[in-house]
Amino acid sequence: MTQFVDWSAALSVGIDEIDAQHQALIDLINQVQDAVAGGLDRERQLDALGRLAEFTKIHFAVEESLMRIFGYPDYERHKAQHEGLIRSMLDLQRRLDMDRAPLDDGLMRHLKHWLLDHILQSDQDYSRFFLAAGALPRHQKLSRATRMWDHLHFCGSKCWS
């Protein structure tokens, strides 16, 4: 079965922790798409979108922390991009909850293109800066965010109940 969004080497930022989080975001977008394409009820679609929104916030916090640690010069612009997507997702959740309408293909295409464009452009810029500033591409110990995601991914939807 074809995934809505596929991970590829072109999306790698060269830092394992960030790549793992980007892969988790792609997995979550695919879960939302599966809920939409599979005709699941609106509540289950909203649940999948909620998981995506929560992990997106975690991921953005990790990226922004690294930007502050490394003194990334384009931090404010990048943070504003993050804030814009979070606002859009929260507005969408509110609208879907009030309208009682399901998610649609237009929204899914928007999320897909936003994520891929953001990784391929903005995230590539900071990763080059981080690596030039001495960031290690690999760490022996996984971060709390990745360990938490691995646990939640393993136990599935019962973790979110």
Side-chain angles (χ1 to χ4, degrees):
M1 179 164 155
T2 303
Q3 293 288 315
F4 182 63
V5 182
D6 287 312
W7 174 260
S8 73
L11 294 171
S12 174
V13 297
I15 301 169
D16 287 350
E17 173 65 25
I18 301 300
D19 285 345
Q21 290 182 21
H22 286 162
Q23 289 173 26
L25 287 169
I26 287 171
D27 185 47
L28 285 164
I29 285 177
N30 285 328
Q31 289 177 31
V32 174
Q33 174 62 19
D34 289 347
V36 171
L40 296 180
D41 62 69
R42 190 184 62 76
E43 292 302 319
R44 294 188 64 192
Q45 291 179 15
L46 282 171
D47 181 57
L49 183 62
R51 288 193 308 273
L52 173 61
E54 286 305 309
F55 191 77
T56 300
K57 290 177 195 175
I58 292 167
H59 169 66
F60 287 171
V62 169
E63 282 187 349
E64 291 165 14
S65 293
L66 290 171
M67 288 177 197
R68 287 190 306 274
I69 289 167
F70 284 101
Y72 184 56
D74 210 12
Y75 167 77
E76 292 298 331
R77 185 186 64 79
H78 200 106
K79 184 175 180 357
Q81 290 176 355
H82 288 171
E83 290 169 348
L85 180 66
I86 294 297
R87 264 192 316 276
S88 294
M89 290 177 87
L90 293 174
D91 289 345
L92 175 66
Q93 285 177 301
R94 272 189 236 108
R95 192 176 73 224
L96 291 171
D97 195 39
M98 290 174 24
D99 293 346
R100 314 291 294 167
L103 301 174
D104 63 21
D105 290 335
L107 161 74
M108 296 309 304
R109 283 190 304 277
H110 170 73
L111 287 174
K112 175 182 180 175
H113 292 294
W114 190 95
L115 177 65
L116 295 178
D117 290 347
H118 187 75
I119 292 171
L120 289 168
Q121 295 171 13
S122 298
D123 288 357
Q124 294 296 334
D125 290 342
Y126 79 63
S127 75
R128 284 188 291 274
F129 180 86
F130 290 176
L131 291 168
L136 300 175
R138 290 186 174 75
H139 292 281
Q140 295 298 333
K141 184 177 176 185
L142 295 175
S143 75
R144 177 181 288 278
T146 298
R147 289 192 316 267
M148 180 178 70
W149 169 251
D150 287 345
H151 169 73
L152 294 175
H153 187 257
F154 174 74
C155 70
S157 62
K158 63 184 173 253
C159 292
W160 299 97
S161 303

